[in-house]
Every structure is written in C-alpha cells, then in structure tokens.
C-alpha cells in the first residue's frame, strides 16, 4: 500500500471531479490518498512523506493557477527526487483540430519547464464548459473561446468533454508503478 498526495487547482470544479476519480482508482487498489485543494494546503505539509505526489490544474486564459505553480515551485526538489505525476485540463484538449490539442500539451510542457519539475507521468485531458456557473462576461468570453475551439456555444446548458476512460488509464498507469516503488 502506498501513500499518495493529490493536490489540485480548480475554478469551476471539473479538475476537482477528475482528482476525485483518480483518488477512487488509487483507493480501489488499496492505496491511501490525501486529496487537497491547492488553496487549502495544510500547514507544514511535507511532500517527502508521501510515496507519490499527483498534481492537477486546468488552463484559464492560457495559464495555470498561481497557487498550483507556487506549490510545485516550493516542493520542486522533493517532487523531482520522488515519484510524481501531473495532469492538466483545458478546452483546447477537446478540440478536433490536432494543432489545438498540441497547443494544450505545449502549455503543460511550458509549465513544467518553467517550474523545473520533471514528473514521471504527464496527461492533458479535455475539461468542461460550465456556462451555468459563469457570470455574463465569463460566459461571453467562454463562448468566444468555444467557438474558436469548435466547442459548444449554446450557453443555456453545460458541457463535459472529459474522457473518463483516459483519466482511468492515467490513474492505472500510476497505480501500476506504485508497488515497484515500495520495493526500491
Ligand atoms: C475564464 C476561463 C478561461 C479559460 N481559458 C482557457 C484557455 O485559455 N485555453 C483552454 O484550452 N481552455 C480554457 N478554459 C477552459 C478550462 O480549462 C476548462 O473549462 C476546465 O474544465 C476548467 O477546469 P475547472 O472546472 O477545474 O476550473 C477556460 C475556462 C474559463 C472559465
């Protein structure tokens, strides 16, 4: 049994849903998971105490949340010394245009380069459009972004593009590595 710290950033909740899904797969394999919002990190959190650290964050206006970036920068050394994984959510990853999908992956690579973090696994997942949660300005902005990405523009409902099988496969790939870590 391994101990896993799962830290996530979220604005509208889709990354939190993905984090819960990952945690469910890990606990299903008998591992323990501390699931923590990146803005509510416990004081004195020591990432070195965990066998694995998984971090997730969505793209908002081409950027990651500052608090997730700060977490990664603060713990870069232990993340790089230990076993870690990163996942990102975005609308671009849901696009039918391979260039937009590649652009989303490039944002993940840029984030990792900028923070100096070298995770063992990286994944880029499609997120969601939560029109019902957006205020007027955000709704207009997101409709514009959705139009550009070939996404849904009817703001009277929400849309989820996340491929849950891909999320499960990411979790299973990590879970498959964990028993090996305990032997080293
Ligand atoms: C204000 C705003 C800006 C966004 N900007 C981008 C963007 O620049 N590129 C992109 O691919 N997706 C963008 N998205 C889509 C989000 O990445 C997607 O909705 C994701 O599921 C949000 O995750 P969360 O619900 O955990 O906050 C944006 C979403 C919002 C609400």
């Amino acid at each position: 049994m391994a101990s896993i710290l799962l830290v996530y950033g979220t604005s509208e909740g889709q990354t939190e849903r993905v984090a819960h899904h990952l945690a469910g797969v890990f606990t299903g394999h008998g591992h323990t998971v501390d699931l923590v919002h990146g803005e509510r990190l416990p004081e004195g959190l020591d990432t070195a105490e965990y066998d694995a650290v998984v971090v997730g964050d969505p793209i908002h206006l081409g950027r990651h949340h500052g608090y997730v970036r700060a977490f990664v920068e603060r713990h870069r050394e232990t993340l790089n010394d230990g076993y870690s994984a990163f996942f990102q959510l975005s609308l671009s990853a849901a696009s039918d245009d391979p260039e937009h999908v590649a652009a989303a992956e490039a944002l993940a690579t840029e984030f990792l380069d900028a923070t100096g973090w070298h995770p063992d696994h990286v994944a880029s997942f499609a997120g969601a459009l939560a029109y019902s949660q957006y205020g007027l300005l955000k709704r207009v902005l997101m409709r514009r972004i959705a139009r550009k990405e070939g996404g849904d523009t009817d703001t009277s409902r929400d849309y989820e593009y996340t491929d849950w099988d891909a999320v499960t496969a990411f979790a299973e790939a990590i879970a498959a590595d964990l028993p090996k870590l305990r032997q080293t």
Side-chain angles (χ1 to χ4, degrees), residues 14-28:
Q14 190 66 10
T15 311
E16 185 170 51
R17 279 187 277 279
V18 170
H20 276 280
H21 186 92
L22 295 173
V25 174
F26 297 146
T27 53

Side-chain angles (χ1 to χ4, degrees), residues 8-17 57-63 65 88-94 100 104 107 125-130 133-134 138 141-142 145 148-149 162:
Y8 63 91
T10 191
S11 292
E12 283 87 34
Q14 190 66 10
T15 311
E16 185 170 51
R17 279 187 277 279
D57 197 42
I59 294 290
H60 281 89
L61 300 179
R63 301 170 62 86
H65 287 102
Q88 174 188 281
L89 265 69
S90 68
L91 203 55
S92 301
H100 290 213
L107 286 173
F125 300 123
L129 275 172
Q133 290 183 52
Y134 305 152
K138 221 188 226 189
L141 171 74
M142 288 316 295
I145 293 178
K148 201 177 93 196
E149 299 291 348
T162 308

Side-chain angles (χ1 to χ4, degrees), residues 90-164:
S90 68
L91 203 55
S92 301
S95 174
D96 290 333
D97 185 337
E99 278 186 25
H100 290 213
V101 175
E105 286 165 7
L107 286 173
T109 305
E110 271 171 35
F111 174 74
L112 297 173
D113 286 348
T115 53
W117 178 27
H118 310 290
D120 296 275
H121 286 278
V122 179
S124 169
F125 300 123
L129 275 172
Y131 285 122
S132 65
Q133 290 183 52
Y134 305 152
L136 179 62
L137 277 181
K138 221 188 226 189
R139 202 155 57 234
V140 170
L141 171 74
M142 288 316 295
R143 197 158 95 146
R144 195 173 300 161
I145 293 178
R147 188 171 291 130
K148 201 177 93 196
E149 299 291 348
D152 294 286
T153 54
D154 172 3
T155 59
S156 67
R157 48 158 294 200
D158 295 344
Y159 302 88
E160 185 184 77
Y161 305 107
T162 308
D163 178 348
W164 293 103

